[in-house]
């Protein structure tokens, strides 16, 4: 079993396809025997994902700073809720408890977490695979921008290639699983 860290919105967005994708990812993670680590909220896409993994009998770990437990409405039904002091500890804990990273649609927090995990990979701090679930082409403009950074010499093609993307949870998990190293699986 591998543990997938998922970054995603505590909101649902304005298209039901985003919420559906979170639920589908939850189903797919559980069906493949993977555990989930995420930000710990019970609302929005975060709550939908966690609920779906748990409904299928999967393990879910939430990580939330003390100051957000009430604001983000911590999920009380998780396998485990890790409370930390701040956002830095949250991200470090989530990364330490994961074997791979996935970003679903979300706001600035999701983007910040994604880019930090990718930067850590680039710096050699981990070798865990990272992917974007490009539901409704949400991340297509970002991917176009990243390709432009390669074309203009600001991003190495190999670094860009390390950020995987797919339009469906099954295809993204296939790609990420193919990059899991033996040290990332039990």
């Amino acid at each position: 079993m591998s543990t997938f860290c998922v970054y995603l919105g505590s909101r649902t967005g304005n298209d039901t396809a985003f919420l559906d994708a979170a639920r589908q990812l939850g189903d797919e993670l559980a069906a493949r025997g993977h555990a989930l680590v995420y930000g710990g909220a019970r609302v929005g896409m975060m709550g939908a994902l966690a609920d779906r993994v748990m409904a299928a009998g999967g393990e879910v770990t939430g990580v939330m700073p003390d100051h957000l437990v009430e604001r983000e409405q911590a999920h009380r039904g998780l396998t485990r809720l890790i409370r930390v002091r701040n956002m830095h500890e949250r991200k470090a804990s989530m990364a330490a408890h994961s074997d791979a990273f996935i970003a679903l649609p979300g706001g600035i927090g999701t983007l910040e977490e994604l880019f930090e995990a990718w930067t850590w990979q680039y710096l050699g701090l981990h070798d865990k695979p990272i992917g974007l679930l490009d539901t409704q082409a949400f991340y297509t403009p970002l991917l176009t921008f990243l390709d432009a950074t390669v074309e203009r010499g600001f991003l190495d093609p190999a670094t860009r290639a390390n950020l995987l993307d797919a339009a469906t949870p099954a295809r993204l998990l296939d790609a990420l699983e193919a990059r899991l190293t033996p040290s990332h699986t039990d």
Side-chain angles (χ1 to χ4, degrees), residues 118-141:
W118 192 23
T119 300
W120 289 349
Q121 181 193 56
Y122 169 75
L123 295 173
L125 301 176
H126 71 77
D127 64 346
K128 301 171 185 180
I130 303 171
L132 299 172
L133 185 56
D134 195 20
T135 303
Q136 297 295 97
F138 180 84
Y139 282 114
T140 299

Side-chain angles (χ1 to χ4, degrees), residues 7-9 87 105-115 138-139:
Y7 305 126
L8 70 169
M87 294 299 284
I108 60 173
T110 300
L111 291 170
E112 189 268 338
E113 290 166 327
L114 165 69
F115 276 97
F138 180 84
Y139 282 114

Side-chain angles (χ1 to χ4, degrees), residues 3-8 10 36-42 46 50 60-69 72-76 78-98 101 113:
T3 301
F4 283 75
C5 176
V6 179
Y7 305 126
L8 70 169
S10 60
L36 167 67
V37 62
Y38 81 116
R42 68 175 172 83
M46 291 173 76
V60 178
T61 299
V63 182
M64 188 173 282
D66 291 324
H67 76 279
L68 290 180
V69 168
E72 285 193 354
Q73 302 178 37
H75 200 305
R76 303 295 183 186
L78 303 176
T79 308
R80 177 170 56 161
L81 178 65
I82 300 171
R83 290 180 68 156
V84 294
R85 290 180 296 170
N86 56 51
M87 294 299 284
H88 297 292
E89 288 182 14
R90 180 191 216 178
K91 292 180 290 183
S93 180
M94 290 170 71
H97 288 93
S98 68
F101 302 91
E113 290 166 327

